Amino acid sequence: MEKIVVKCINELKGEVNISSAKNAVLPIIAATILCPQNITIENTPMLEDVRVICRLLGELNCDVNISQFDDKLEINTKNIVPIDADIELIRKMRASFLIMGPMLARFGYCKLSMPGGCNIGSRPIDLHLKGFKLLGADVTSDHGFVEVKAKKLTGNRIYLDFPSVGATENIMMASVFANGTTIIENAAEEPEIWDLANFLNSMGANIKGAGFGKITIEGVDKLKGVSYTPIYDRIEAGTFMVAAAITNSKIKINGFNEEHLRPLIEKLKECGVKFGNYENNSVIVDGKVEKRPLDIKTLPYPGFPTDMQPQMMSLLSVVNGVSVITETVFENRFMHVAELQRMGANIKIDGRTAVVEGTLKLTGCEVKATDLRAGAAMILSGLIAEGETIIGDIYHIDRGYVNIEEKFSKLGAEIYRVKM
């Protein structure tokens, strides 16, 4: 069993290169099902989730070539077969469910087991299925499986009760070949939604309004192969922004989109952190300042991202004063609180609200990554905790961060992986 060891440091220095966004790459990989031609995805983050969805495409008889040397992913789905996908692969990663929309669009049929993923809260697929039904598909769900089928999909107006990212992506992909016009209202607005639409449009789809809450898709007959580079990972960039803040350091982040990170930037500025030298997708983050407590409420984009809540809690646990964090997106996203408390953090939970009273210091100990972003929070806390922090269940971290030990090591951190 592997674990990550983090030791207390004085300061981070240098610069870090941000990878492409996991949450952008995964739906883009799923969307390759729509096109039976060669597709190249440049600067692919070689993460466990990426490997899982690639293995899933392999199960469907697709040609998938992953180059470890230049982070290039080449996919050809010409010979894909519409068979029932491997149960364990679907359960292993929730994003695997995103193949249902493109499979339905291309073959008029798909059957999958119910999806899995992190245990951070309920993420029902009812909105995905609602969209498929409104496009004309027959949907049945029984004994842990979901089956959708349709002779021909027809465009329709679809209102999402909640701006679900996965449902927006799945319905958008399912609509690419539908007859007529599909309109998705109250659609998710995350940058990854825009990126998926941009990828589909580069292949010949006709999608407008992605990223603005109302998406219009005009059905087309076919798509063509392309080479595409996804957007930078805003959550990885945000994690290193918080790393500069929590370690009282000044670092440069390369692979930075200010617009995508606006909610986090504003909160960090409110905390006292300084930002400067915005140029060429880079920024200097200066955490050598006195920090102030915050009130944070997570919301769907463009609100404060739930994926940055654990990392911000690590920071606020050592900021003098009382901070309040309200989690509105996932009901189980405070599982990392118990791990921070082991390190000496003073945090009290009341329902979906956490009251964080800053403490003078944290102490290294053995903790675990209860989910992907909680794992990042443990690393951040370990950077400033006295002594040594040993993090278990790091497979969660590997799902979302590329070479995280190497990137922190280049900034001067003492962090490494061991087998125990």
Side-chain angles (χ1 to χ4, degrees), residues 261-299:
L261 286 157
R262 177 57 57 194
L264 176 60
I265 291 171
E266 293 305 316
K267 277 299 174 183
L268 285 173
K269 284 183 176 179
E270 187 180 331
C271 188
V273 179
K274 296 178 181 178
F275 294 80
N277 295 84
Y278 296 95
E279 56 182 19
N280 300 322
N281 294 315
S282 296
V283 67
I284 301 290
V285 184
D286 186 356
K288 296 182 178 183
V289 294
E290 185 175 346
K291 315 295 191 306
R292 297 182 289 270
L294 298 172
D295 286 350
I296 293 174
K297 183 177 183 180
T298 65
L299 290 166

Side-chain angles (χ1 to χ4, degrees), residues 13 43 55 165 180 223 233 262 348 350 380 389 420:
K13 294 180 180 179
N43 196 30
R55 287 202 298 272
V165 173
L223 301 178
D233 194 323
R262 177 57 57 194
K348 294 181 174 61
D350 183 8
L380 294 176
T389 300
M420 293 186 173

Side-chain angles (χ1 to χ4, degrees), residues 20-41:
S20 290
K22 173 185 83 94
N23 290 337
V25 170
L26 294 178
I28 285 173
I29 292 173
T32 63
I33 292 172
L34 294 165
C35 177
Q37 296 182 13
N38 291 329
I39 294 172
T40 301
I41 304 172

